[in-house]
Amino acid sequence: MEALRSEDPRRFGRFTVLARFQETASAVRYVARDTGTGVGAGETAVITAARPALTAVPAFRRRFEAEARTAERLAGGWVVPPLETGDGGGGREADGAGLLWTAAGYVPALPLAEAIGIAGPLPERALRILGAGIAEILSRVHAGGAVLQGLAPDTVLLAEDGPRLTAFGPLGAAATAEARPGGQLSVRLGYLTPEQVAGKEAGAPSDLFVLGLLLAYAATGTTPFTEGPPEEAARRIAEADPELEAVPEELRELIAGCLAKDPAERPTAGTVAAELALEGAAGLARGGWLPERLAAAVAEQEGRVRALEGAWEAPEAADAVPGVADVATEVADSAPGAADAVPETDDAVPAVADAVPGNAVPGDAVPQEGGAVGTHAPADPRVPLAPDATATATATANAGATHGTGHIGEDQGTTRFLNTGPKPPHSDRATTQLALPHQPPPLPATPAHQHTHGSPAPYPAAVLPGSAGPGSGQGINGRSSSGQDANGQGGSGGPMVALPLPPAPAPPSGGPALDRRGLLTVAAAAVGGLVVGGGAVAVIGGGESAVATDAKPAPPKPRRTLPGQPPEPRWIYAHPSSESAPLTAALWQDRLLVVTSESQASAVDLRTGKRVWQRADAADGQAALAAGDLCFVAGPTEFLWLAPKDGAVVHRLRYADGFTDLPGLQVGRLAGHSGTVVWFTGSHTVTVKAPKPKKGEKQEPDKKVVQAHLFAYDIVRRAELWRTPVPAGRAPGTPLYRVVAERPADILVRQEPSTLTPADVKAAKGKGSLRCFDRETGKLRWTKQYGTAGPNAGIAGDESGILYASVGADLQSFEADTTKPLWRVTGTEGSHFGTPLVAGPFVHTTERSQQIGAVERETGRFVWRRSTEVPVIGGAPALTVSTTGETLFAADAAQVTAFSAADGERLWKFQDIGLAGPKGETVSAPYRALASGTNVIVQRARSFYAFPVA
């Protein structure tokens, strides 16, 4: 951390800059304070401002904005939510106008590389939490069909409550970035994967390979591909077995799977997350997860930043802290006399041949992406330095350095993982010790804005067999693309290996036409890759799109405080253990939660969670529905209309009185409802007299026959609309129907398999049937079967007459009237789909394998697919969507998982602490979710939780 330089902006929108924090290959990062008047006023933020020299490149702007949108979509969980994104509008650059920038909340955290330098390899529990947290993010990314390409030991941070990811694409994780002729952008990544070495494009499995490298590094402090010269690094990645002997035995097989050479053999991100932490990374991290030395380092970093805040709030108090007063005064006065613009760079960049700088230049920052930030490790990472020892340690370290080679006194035979290992000599100018001259020193000339990850590269560029030699050409800041500076010093250029990017859109009209080779070239160069000698350079031109992104930024969504945790419930209601257990729970007008049991019905105020009344008359009732201003409850023997204020019975209709022509009517479960109309089935027994016997024959006894009907009933008018006869069900005879689709003219119903008679089952030949009834008259229009969908198949329909049914392991859509198949999506092997949920443009899917997804209703294309990451137990999770349609809930026997309905982002999951019965025994019960206004009510047996949702 250091004082602001003359060229640094003093404001970004509502944020006032306090200090320069870090530098990355593509941006400069600042600590800032929200000095606006909004909700976040006074909060500390981290501003990531794109370098002006790169901002002029259209491809860079598109990529920077795309990665900012990716951060917005991933916000929450282990990704710090962005606060604001600058639009790059006009104005003075000293005030942050005209620049690309993003702001995110400040989270005290250490980069993984620094943490390993301080405390050594992580223990197994910390490894599990780290890997599970990152895998959970990757699972969200991959569910949208994108690839992250943002993992590195300095983009993965360790915070007090869990890991954070701070880079959301190749720019954020770049080792170097530079402008090239023709509007191209050269971005050097720090690693290669086996498929990239083979000339194939990176996919979701590539992120898993890098995750495996990351976990192996965190477990051992080194890369699993260490042996051999750096120039053979690419061959080792593609062919050599990883060295995992030092990895904890319990994790060795999983990490080895991630490092499989064949991408198809690597596990999915969801699988990795579940195997590392079944209860989720957040659950496993409860109670703390960092070793003591790392927890202390995180706390120390937070103290530095808070001291800087205090200096800004009360500059006069900074006199007790040398140097801080100068910084505070400079910020408060908006740096009078400071330069108004960043030094210009030459717009006319000569042509660059197929080569990139192969040498690395030490930087003095430990850059991250996103809202979490890191600090420098001491010269000896094993021995923390006292504040007054900084200068001495720095001088000693400098004395031992070998100039011009990148050597810092360590064994160059040690292979590093993204420039991890012993740190370079550096004076960590702590916030509380800032004492800089009033005239800031000039910026050092550096080649192509190096992202050094806290230490210089230990080796010169590696050369792949058969690759091109050094090229020529001039880069930014007067550095040649061959790696030479203006004086001709430097290492040899790195070779190029052409690799494809994912399909890119056509260049914008009038822009230069680029072929795919012009879009991406990859070099194996030692800029601190996942293995020494590993590196990738993406040359991005007009119209490039390496990661699928939206055309426009997604609007910000409300976020919870803790990553992966549900928001705090607004209330919790515990049904008394002295009363019988709840049988049904339903919502009335978003005002009452009506819970029925064998003994009574109870109403809970949805605003407070307090029980407001009890009514024994409504015992064993079902479906609390709005009937005008009254609460309608269907009981075993009567319909009740209750006053919502106190539960008093306002109207009562006994079935024996309301259906006098059907004596002994037995009413089944409600089949469905729409507006003021409910549909239900009922049956009664009639006596059929035996025919008169012929002369000489014995009189046969009369027969008892069950007759069944489907009814439509208006609960406001309290009047029967129609009834139509239907086949009786299995004894005692009432068939149970469920409305699967409502259309303007008719309803489609399916009979519950448990009420089918043996004759019905035999006649259906293993297939399920739907019946269509006219909504006005109740007349049966048709009975149809759909493909090989069985009687237990999950099925739902929409208002247009399209059905979505589970057929074998797949989900298939049909035209309801013609049974014509429209599209089919493949399910998980060995699993089956449950009942889908139609909401907006999507059909939300659920599988027994715990996969939840969204399919376009028109095309059958999967928009996203995401695992709940719990063991496969029981059936497919039950789906519920919030009243706004923005949040999807999957409830199963283990938990409730909340997803963003639009993109599948996993928002949170909820598991209660367990239940006990009246006698103290453990009770196992599934979860259930009910949407109510801005709440979702989660039920598990006797416990009800009201969570706020979008």
Side-chain angles (χ1 to χ4, degrees):
M1 202 183 312
E2 62 183 75
L4 296 175
R5 301 175 184 174
S6 61
E7 71 273 14
D8 289 326
R10 265 50 181 179
R11 291 191 66 85
F12 291 90
R14 68 179 193 265
F15 300 95
T16 297
V17 180
L18 302 181
R20 172 181 277 248
F21 209 100
Q22 299 164 328
E23 295 186 49
T24 72
S26 59
V28 179
R29 312 190 65 231
Y30 303 93
V31 179
R33 184 180 178 87
D34 186 344
T35 53
T37 58
V39 176
E43 295 297 321
T44 306
V46 175
I47 306 293
T48 301
R51 295 185 181 274
L54 297 175
T55 303
V57 182
F60 175 88
R61 296 180 67 89
R62 288 192 297 273
R63 170 60 57 190
F64 186 93
E65 292 166 352
E67 294 187 14
R69 292 195 296 271
T70 300
E72 289 178 1
R73 289 194 298 274
L74 295 176
W78 307 116
V79 175
V80 179
L83 301 175
E84 188 175 334
T85 299
D87 58 9
R92 297 173 67 248
E93 286 187 353
D95 291 332
L99 299 177
L100 288 174
W101 58 273
T102 63
Y106 164 71
V107 174
L110 298 175
L112 176 61
E114 181 179 337
I116 298 301
I118 293 174
L122 299 180
E124 181 188 340
R125 178 170 173 268
L127 288 171
R128 288 184 176 275
I129 295 167
L130 170 66
I134 300 305
E136 288 172 7
I137 300 174
L138 290 179
S139 183
R140 289 157 52 192
V141 173
H142 298 166
V147 184
L148 183 68
Q149 293 184 289
L151 294 183
D154 279 317
T155 65
V156 173
L157 311 181
L158 311 185
E160 181 182 16
D161 56 354
R164 295 291 190 280
L165 180 62
T166 61
F168 310 101
L171 276 190
T176 64
E178 64 176 325
R180 285 194 168 194
Q184 292 180 322
L185 173 67
S186 173
V187 175
R188 183 190 297 273
L189 302 177
Y191 57 85
L192 289 172
T193 62
E195 51 269 30
Q196 289 175 305
V197 172
K200 300 177 182 178
E201 67 182 43
S206 303
D207 283 337
L208 271 298
F209 185 88
V210 181
L211 177 59
L213 290 169
L214 195 79
L215 291 176
Y217 166 71
T220 65
T222 186
T223 170
F225 298 100
T226 57
E227 295 300 327
E231 61 270 15
E232 296 182 4
R235 181 193 60 79
R236 293 199 300 275
I237 293 173
E239 300 176 7
D241 293 331
E243 299 176 6
L244 302 176
E245 290 79 5
V247 172
E249 184 177 357
E250 295 79 3
L251 303 179
R252 198 173 300 158
E253 182 178 355
L254 179 62
I255 294 176
C258 292
L259 297 176
K261 306 303 182 187
D262 184 355
E265 294 180 359
R266 296 171 200 158
T268 65
T271 299
V272 172
E275 290 195 21
L276 288 174
L278 185 58
E279 65 272 56
L284 188 57
R286 288 193 185 101
W289 72 293
L290 292 176
E292 184 177 352
R293 294 183 66 181
L294 296 184
V298 171
E300 178 188 2
Q301 180 200 104
E302 183 177 16
R304 292 179 178 179
V305 174
R306 299 310 176 208
L308 187 61
E309 285 183 298
W312 185 89
E313 292 176 344
E316 66 280 359
D319 294 337
V321 185
V324 174
D326 293 339
V327 179
T329 302
E330 182 181 13
V331 174
D333 294 340
S334 298
D340 291 337
V342 178
E344 297 180 354
T345 57
D346 188 1
D347 292 333
V349 184
V352 181
D354 283 345
V356 294
N359 60 329
V361 177
D364 61 357
V366 184
Q368 331 301 330
E369 296 295 326
V373 291
T375 59
H376 292 283
D380 182 354
R382 297 167 297 179
V383 183
L385 297 179
D388 58 357
T390 303
T392 304
T394 302
T396 304
N398 283 333
T402 302
H403 298 284
T405 65
H407 181 51
I408 58 173
E410 77 172 286
D411 179 5
Q412 290 200 23
T414 301
T415 303
R416 296 201 198 148
F417 181 107
L418 279 176
N419 280 336
T420 55
K423 301 297 178 181
H426 177 76
S427 176
D428 185 5
R429 289 165 287 187
T431 304
T432 55
Q433 296 178 350
L434 288 176
L436 302 178
H438 291 289
Q439 296 297 327
L443 282 172
T446 58
H449 296 309
Q450 301 283 342
H451 181 178
T452 62
H453 301 291
S455 62
Y459 296 102
V463 180
L464 289 179
S467 61
S472 60
Q474 192 79 2
I476 62 174
N477 293 334
R479 186 85 175 188
S480 71
S481 64
S482 64
Q484 295 183 338
D485 58 21
N487 298 323
Q489 303 297 320
S492 59
M496 295 297 177
V497 180
L499 296 183
L501 276 173
S509 177
L514 299 174
D515 59 16
R516 292 180 64 83
R517 182 176 178 84
L519 290 179
L520 175 68
T521 53
V522 172
V527 191
L530 294 185
V531 295
V532 172
V537 176
V539 182
I540 304 171
E544 177 278 333
S545 178
V547 181
T549 58
D550 296 335
K552 298 179 180 179
K557 293 181 285 190
R559 298 291 171 186
R560 60 236 168 262
T561 302
L562 298 177
Q565 299 278 13
E568 286 296 318
R570 288 174 171 160
W571 50 258
I572 301 174
Y573 168 71
H575 195 68
S577 58
S578 59
E579 300 177 10
S580 53
L583 297 175
T584 68
L587 302 173
W588 183 81
Q589 287 192 342
D590 291 335
R591 289 172 52 189
L592 296 177
L593 168 67
V594 180
V595 180
T596 65
S597 66
E598 293 179 351
S599 58
Q600 63 188 9
S602 305
V604 177
D605 190 326
L606 286 174
R607 297 169 302 173
T608 64
K610 303 296 184 182
R611 186 155 72 171
V612 293
W613 53 258
Q614 302 162 252
R615 180 60 57 182
D617 302 72
D620 282 338
Q622 57 172 317
L625 303 175
D629 293 332
L630 301 178
C631 177
F632 170 83
V633 176
T637 61
E638 60 188 349
F639 289 154
L640 295 173
W641 286 262
L642 308 178
K645 182 179 180 180
D646 56 10
V649 177
V650 178
H651 302 291
R652 186 192 307 266
L653 176 68
R654 293 185 175 87
Y655 304 142
D657 300 331
F659 303 92
T660 55
D661 58 334
L662 302 175
L665 178 66
Q666 300 293 318
V667 173
R669 188 181 64 225
L670 296 185
H673 66 91
S674 178
T676 64
V677 177
V678 296
W679 297 287
F680 61 92
T681 53
S683 66
H684 75 295
T685 302
V686 298
T687 301
V688 178
K689 289 186 174 295
K692 187 176 181 180
K694 295 180 180 179
K695 187 177 180 180
E697 293 183 353
K698 185 178 180 181
Q699 175 72 45
E700 294 289 335
D702 294 340
K703 292 183 179 180
K704 300 291 185 178
V705 177
V706 176
Q707 293 181 345
H709 295 82
L710 174 67
F711 298 84
Y713 191 91
D714 191 312
I715 60 176
V716 171
R717 294 164 48 199
R718 301 196 302 280
E720 180 182 347
L721 301 179
W722 50 256
R723 74 178 71 161
T724 188
V726 295
R730 185 188 296 267
T734 302
L736 297 182
Y737 283 5
R738 182 174 69 87
V739 176
V740 299
E742 299 175 30
R743 300 193 291 185
D746 50 35
I747 58 173
L748 277 61
V749 302
R750 185 179 73 170
Q751 186 172 343
E752 293 297 320
S754 61
T755 65
L756 291 170
T757 66
D760 293 335
V761 174
K762 182 177 181 180
K765 298 181 179 179
K767 298 180 181 180
S769 301
L770 293 187
R771 294 183 174 95
C772 177
F773 295 93
D774 188 285
R775 291 184 73 152
E776 292 296 325
T777 65
K779 179 182 178 180
L780 177 65
R781 290 186 169 183
W782 44 255
T783 301
K784 296 183 183 294
Q785 296 177 327
Y786 296 87
T788 59
N792 289 298
I795 189 168
D798 60 26
E799 70 284 349
S800 64
I802 305 300
L803 295 174
Y804 311 94
S806 171
V807 180
D810 301 335
L811 183 72
Q812 192 166 359
S813 72
F814 301 89
E815 287 184 353
D817 292 319
T818 66
T819 73
K820 176 184 176 182
L822 299 177
W823 50 254
R824 177 191 294 262
V825 294
T826 303
T828 307
E829 184 178 357
S831 182
H832 63 264
F833 284 91
T835 301
L837 176 66
V838 180
F842 301 135
V843 178
H844 291 292
T845 63
T846 174
E847 300 179 59
R848 185 178 179 274
S849 61
Q850 303 299 306
Q851 293 287 327
I852 309 299
V855 176
E856 289 181 347
R857 288 165 62 176
E858 295 293 328
T859 65
R861 183 184 71 87
F862 257 115
V863 178
W864 58 265
R865 205 171 194 174
R866 183 84 161 92
S867 173
T868 62
E869 297 175 355
V870 299
V872 179
I873 51 178
L879 301 181
T880 304
V881 69
S882 65
T883 54
T884 63
E886 295 182 16
T887 307
L888 180 70
F889 303 96
D892 52 42
Q895 66 187 35
V896 171
T897 310
F899 299 92
S900 167
D903 57 19
E905 174 189 358
R906 178 170 161 167
L907 304 176
W908 49 263
K909 68 178 182 181
F910 171 72
Q911 297 171 322
D912 65 9
I913 60 175
L915 302 166
K919 298 181 180 180
E921 73 277 13
T922 300
V923 177
S924 177
Y927 291 83
R928 185 186 180 200
L930 303 170
S932 169
T934 59
N935 293 332
V936 60
I937 310 301
V938 173
Q939 177 194 3
R940 192 183 191 205
R942 296 176 180 269
S943 299
F944 296 83
Y945 307 81
F947 294 106
V949 296

